[in-house]
Amino acid sequence: MENERKLMQFYFITEGELSTHYHQNLELFYVLKGNLEVRIDDTCFRLGQGDIIAINANKRHTMNGKEGLLGARFEIDFRLLAEELGTMQLLFWCNTVADRNEAYEDLRRILDRILERHFEREQKGALHLNALYYEALHILTSNFMVRSDDARLQVEDSQDRIRVQQIQNYIQANYQSQISLNDLAERLYLSNAYLSKYVKRHMGLTFMEYLNNVRLFYAVDELLYTKKNMTRIALDNGFPTSAAFTKAFRDIYGEAPSTYRKRVQKEMEPEQPSAELSEAEQQKILEYLRFREEKGLPEPDREHVCEADAVCYQKMEHVASRAVNVGDAYLILQSEVQNQLKEIRKNTELCYVRIWNLLSRENCFDGQKGYNFRKLDLVLDFLLENQMKPYLVLGQKPILFMYTPERSVREMEATETYSLETFSGIIKALSKHLVNRYGVEELESWYFEYWYDHNNLTRRRSQEKDSRRVEYWDDLQGEIDREDWEFFEYFETLYRMLKAISPDIRVGGAEFILGFETLWCREVFQIWKKRSIWPDFLSFCSYQYIAIYEDGKRYGRKSIDGSYIRNQVEIMREVMAETGFSAPEFHIDEWNFTISNRNVLNDSCEQGAYILKNCIDLAGDVDIMAYWHALDVYSDYYDTDLILNGDSGLITRDGIAKPSYYAFTFLNKLLPNVVAKDENMLITTNGKGRFMIVCHNYKKLSSQYVSAEEDQIKVEELDQYIEDREPLKLRIKLNHVKNGNYLVRSFYINRENGSVQDIWKRMEYTSHPTQDEMDYLKRSAAPRLEMQSIDVEDGVLELENILLDQEIRLLDIQYRYDSL
């Protein structure tokens, strides 16, 4: 009788153990009490109470359970999960020791409910348990799965992506037959030699290695779950002989398939569900589950209550949303850009303007004729005349318009790469020019950032190692040793030139990518701290993509973590603390949930709520956040002539304000003292009877967004990319306010009011509006205003607001001196 297959099952871990093993199924370890050490390859993770870690299929690992350990091991059938998801290219990054994600709490809640079933005396049947298993797997696959066939970081363009998929699909469909590289080459109209190199470059394996991996995947499954003999398994899975099967198996697993079958099946036999737990162990588990119920996060509720003491407040350090990206510096010379920037500066607190491509030969420098900064002066003069401060990026930063992270709308060359000697001469001339024209005190209020294209290191290295596979850490160290010293030399040249003018001029860099370059930053910081010059600020960019490293390869995925930026900032601060390297200021110099310039979510209410949520989350925790980016004019191109094109600008190319724009105008209204802050609102006061409250009903993106092509999302289908559309009832109770009459003015943007995207939708997405229709759009794309009068007699001011999904709201509460 063949072994019964289950999608997921769990076992309690009740004693310390030391073992090294690997297996085809996925494992999830959950520590309830005590400590567990898990070593994967050369990395050791120490898990404590509440920690979770996933072990990927066929990943050799060592478990070292300390005495007193109590935990649970969840085993997930890889084959069944692959069938459910329609791909066997599965990889998970789920590790609470090394990662932050609000979805971990959701996962703990479901795992606890699974464990509770052991103590339920009334049997509810297998259906309930299976429902919980599927819910846990939904959380895992939505938030922590990385598809190892994800082309986001593996191939360079869409043509490569299509070809890789063709290769994978062909092998999947024909692995049971005697196929060859020549068969595939003929099918793709390529030469054998070219295809052989192509497969090695893009898949990290030779054609035969990849084919055998696919065959072994299915063969191992039959080893464990059928009684077929070795010859039958070999032939059914495409191996010409049982000897060929045995050799391929030994190369991967280090033992004969028959030995593997006996060992693994024997290991599976004694593992029974938790019926063997002692009474004391059961009591410990019950104590943990009660603790989680009492101390864990409450179940989601449609009502949110915030109660605060109106006379207990503290001065707000700052809301970090003081900067915005424009892009190419000379874009500012366009009149429409100037008009829109004036509008932004007038109504928001976005006072720093981040620009780059300053030192191009076309605009500033000719190697023979010398330097000419006239155009740059026009740019800087405009900013200063309109009370905006320059945030100047110096380095080789390109200008990119993106459909998706792997497909560009348009790419413009970065500023020329100058030799260190030439760069030094330009910076010396620029520094002298700026201080003579604008003065020392003015330059001390600017930011100077040196940007370095560290992604170019990976590209160069991969080209050099086209046919060789290297381990990540060796590759990384080589990059730093050979290339990154160049970064330090350029940065220190800029630093010395500007500090010679004034030690108070702020110089920093280098736009590390949160979520992508955590490991790389750890190495760079350890080197940087040994040098004599440290930056005045460290800059990072944040787009909601995660990269992990597995077997020397980098994989990427989108993140739908609703608190992604806050969590990644915490991780990076931990890295800085561990390495002993820091800077006086922490900047996020670019931030958005997407890098795409053609994602319709950028135009929606979702973007406004996303901005408000993150600015509230990070208030006081970072020094500057430079939103990506100011204007849709940045990516205006031939590929669209619509009113909205999915770019992330605050204002459309026709000058219409989006919900994202109003998120910043609401923040600009905040008063200088903080009364209370929570996940949905920030309450401020002037201490004299006036309160300003910003609030939102942000909804995180759904699991469907993870697999969506960002430029293919349609406005009419937005609901399926949002987790839910439940309204939120906000109840605010301010104690110890002055008795009397208060005027409450509510300004809000939601799908029914003020959203340009939804107004355009009701106009049936007209593509060529008349002037009257365009004027109507501009007038209508504005917050709705409601007013009410409230009398306070007992010193308690109570407000109740119902916010629609993705709504943002500003409450202006002012005491009325009517009795005077």
Side-chain angles (χ1 to χ4, degrees), residues 12 34 65 136 141 148 174 198 227 272 293 308 312 320 325 471 555 615 637 675 679 694 803:
F12 284 115
T141 55
S148 56
N174 298 281
Y198 187 91
K227 292 185 177 181
Q272 299 297 326
E293 183 177 358
C312 294
N325 284 273
E471 290 299 319
Y555 303 99
C615 289
Y637 202 48
V675 176
E679 63 187 60
V694 290
L803 277 64

Side-chain angles (χ1 to χ4, degrees), residues 605 725 749-755 758-759 762 784 804:
C605 288
R725 291 199 59 188
I749 295 279
N750 56 34
R751 296 191 188 195
E752 304 298 326
N753 301 279
S755 165
D758 293 283
I759 299 168
R762 292 191 286 271
R784 179 162 180 169
L804 300 183

Side-chain angles (χ1 to χ4, degrees), residues 718-819:
L718 283 183
D719 286 351
Q720 63 187 280
Y721 298 103
I722 306 299
E723 188 174 52
D724 68 76
R725 291 199 59 188
E726 292 294 325
L728 175 68
K729 180 187 288 187
L730 282 181
R731 291 185 55 214
I732 302 170
K733 186 177 181 181
L734 292 175
N735 298 319
H736 301 116
V737 301
K738 185 188 298 186
N739 289 333
N741 181 260
Y742 288 80
L743 176 66
V744 180
R745 297 190 299 165
S746 298
F747 302 85
Y748 58 91
I749 295 279
N750 56 34
R751 296 191 188 195
E752 304 298 326
N753 301 279
S755 165
V756 60
Q757 186 182 74
D758 293 283
I759 299 168
W760 186 44
K761 181 179 179 180
R762 292 191 286 271
M763 296 171 65
E764 297 188 345
Y765 308 113
T766 177
S767 57
H768 298 94
T770 65
Q771 187 59 51
D772 288 344
E773 290 168 345
M774 187 63 72
D775 290 342
Y776 170 78
L777 262 174
K778 290 181 179 179
R779 290 195 310 271
S780 302
R784 179 162 180 169
L785 169 63
E786 293 181 358
M787 301 172 65
Q788 69 176 124
S789 182
I790 297 179
D791 290 317
V792 174
E793 297 179 353
D794 57 357
V796 179
L797 174 63
E798 293 192 67
L799 299 171
E800 185 175 293
N801 291 267
I802 297 178
L803 277 64
L804 300 183
D805 63 294
Q806 310 295 22
E807 179 174 325
I808 60 174
R809 186 172 290 229
L810 172 70
L811 302 175
D812 182 356
I813 306 168
Q814 190 166 4
Y815 182 78
R816 304 295 296 273
Y817 293 89
D818 294 335
S819 60

Side-chain angles (χ1 to χ4, degrees), residues 73-129:
R73 179 175 70 86
F74 295 83
E75 185 175 326
I76 302 164
D77 190 297
F78 191 104
R79 174 73 174 274
L80 292 180
L81 182 61
E83 290 175 358
E84 290 282 347
L85 298 177
T87 177
M88 73 173 201
Q89 305 295 324
L90 302 178
L91 193 67
F92 288 86
W93 174 245
C94 178
N95 185 344
T96 57
V97 177
D99 188 26
R100 301 283 188 281
N101 193 319
E102 61 183 18
Y104 284 122
E105 191 60 35
D106 297 330
L107 183 58
R108 288 189 188 97
R109 177 173 53 84
I110 298 302
L111 297 183
D112 288 344
R113 289 177 63 188
I114 292 172
L115 299 180
E116 285 169 359
R117 280 191 49 78
H118 171 73
F119 303 99
E120 292 177 356
R121 299 310 177 195
E122 294 182 6
Q123 295 298 321
K124 298 181 180 179
L127 288 178
H128 182 211
L129 185 58

Side-chain angles (χ1 to χ4, degrees), residues 341-358:
L341 283 178
K342 287 179 183 178
E343 183 74 15
I344 288 175
R345 183 65 189 102
K346 177 182 177 182
N347 294 302
T348 74
E349 64 175 4
L350 298 171
C351 56
Y352 279 96
V353 174
R354 187 168 178 262
I355 52 177
W356 50 89
N357 197 27
L358 280 67

